[in-house]
Amino acid sequence: MTRAELRRLRQITFRRQLRIVVTLLALTGCAVEPPRPEGERIPPGAAAPPPPPIISKFGDWAGHGGAPRLWQHTGIDIRARVGMPVLAADDGTVVRVGRQPLAGKFIILSHAADLSTVYYHLSEIGVTVGRTVRRGEAIGRAGMTGNATAPHLHFGVCRREAGECGESIKTGWDHPERYWVPGNPCFVASEAYPAARLTYPVPCTDERGSGGDGRAAKPSRDRA
């Protein structure tokens, strides 16, 4: 066998192994999508864009692109580039931060005795346990840690005290879209929002390093 033939054989083997790895990751549950071109900035005075798309819905048995899951999806997956600020969806307190094999780097905020929000697959964590945060504050940055084959934010709503929901959808998880503020859920700093209503956990414009209104604080470098 010539060197060219050997090199070709190695390339074929590598591609087969890569397909197997991607399939196995998809079976465990989160969005599978190739990276997309980074969004363009919205010029001043232009109409407000809609929120970034949801690429995997609550309760889905299949991930983005039809990849099967082992259990129903307990939140929603929102398209977000690596490094995009992740925003608190309501005023609250940080009850857990850390890293797990599936969730990757994560944050859990408590907003009421039985209402918490979770943020998975982060590239950076910018808050510590016990800290009080305000709606729209940057608490971390999106990424693809844990079980994620493309950059995105897994966002969930847990209806158990201190965010103590389990892996099954029936262990306290609720549909996040039921909690959006009426109208456009994009965070605007000048708006007055009702409690227990959530705004989008990522900016609706892709301003590099800023929050939903361009003024949210940059998260610190605390890492899980």
Side-chain angles (χ1 to χ4, degrees):
M1 181 178 293
T2 66
R3 290 185 178 179
E5 290 173 335
L6 181 59
R7 184 165 54 252
R8 175 63 177 169
L9 179 60
R10 288 175 176 171
Q11 291 174 345
I12 293 173
T13 302
F14 173 77
R15 289 169 184 165
R16 288 176 178 171
Q17 291 173 340
L18 182 61
R19 283 196 294 269
I20 292 171
V21 170
V22 170
T23 301
L24 290 174
L25 286 172
L27 288 172
T28 60
C30 256
V32 178
E33 181 183 50
R36 298 206 170 206
E38 294 178 341
E40 297 180 357
R41 296 188 180 188
I42 305 302
I54 294 170
I55 59 177
S56 188
K57 297 180 179 180
F58 179 80
D60 280 353
W61 280 101
H64 188 77
R69 300 180 188 276
L70 297 180
W71 52 77
Q72 284 181 282
H73 200 206
T74 59
I76 58 175
D77 289 343
I78 300 171
R79 183 178 299 145
R81 64 176 176 82
V82 173
M84 176 178 282
V86 171
L87 312 179
D90 193 5
D91 297 350
T93 302
V94 181
V95 292
R96 286 187 65 192
V97 299
R99 183 166 189 162
Q100 294 179 347
L102 295 181
K105 293 184 179 181
F106 70 91
I107 298 171
I108 300 179
L109 303 182
S110 177
H111 308 287
D114 64 344
L115 177 62
S116 300
T117 53
V118 303
Y119 311 76
Y120 292 169
H121 308 307
L122 306 178
S123 62
E124 294 184 19
I125 294 173
V127 291
T128 54
V129 173
R131 176 174 165 179
T132 299
V133 298
R134 302 299 301 271
R135 181 194 303 273
E137 180 180 346
I139 57 175
R141 294 192 179 275
M144 52 183 296
T145 57
N147 178 40
T149 58
H152 71 280
L153 173 70
H154 173 101
F155 176 71
V157 170
C158 176
R159 295 309 309 261
R160 290 189 175 179
E161 189 172 355
E164 294 292 339
C165 287
E167 292 184 356
S168 168
I169 198 171
K170 297 180 180 180
T171 56
W173 298 105
D174 203 356
H175 199 317
E177 294 182 53
R178 294 178 180 173
Y179 297 85
W180 295 142
V181 296
N184 192 328
C186 295
F187 171 72
V188 178
S190 59
E191 292 288 333
Y193 294 105
R197 286 286 188 172
L198 307 179
T199 45
Y200 228 57
V202 294
C204 293
T205 57
D206 194 11
E207 296 292 336
R208 308 290 176 184
S210 67
D213 66 335
R215 292 180 292 171
K218 181 179 179 180
S220 66
R221 292 286 177 172
D222 295 340
R223 293 176 179 267

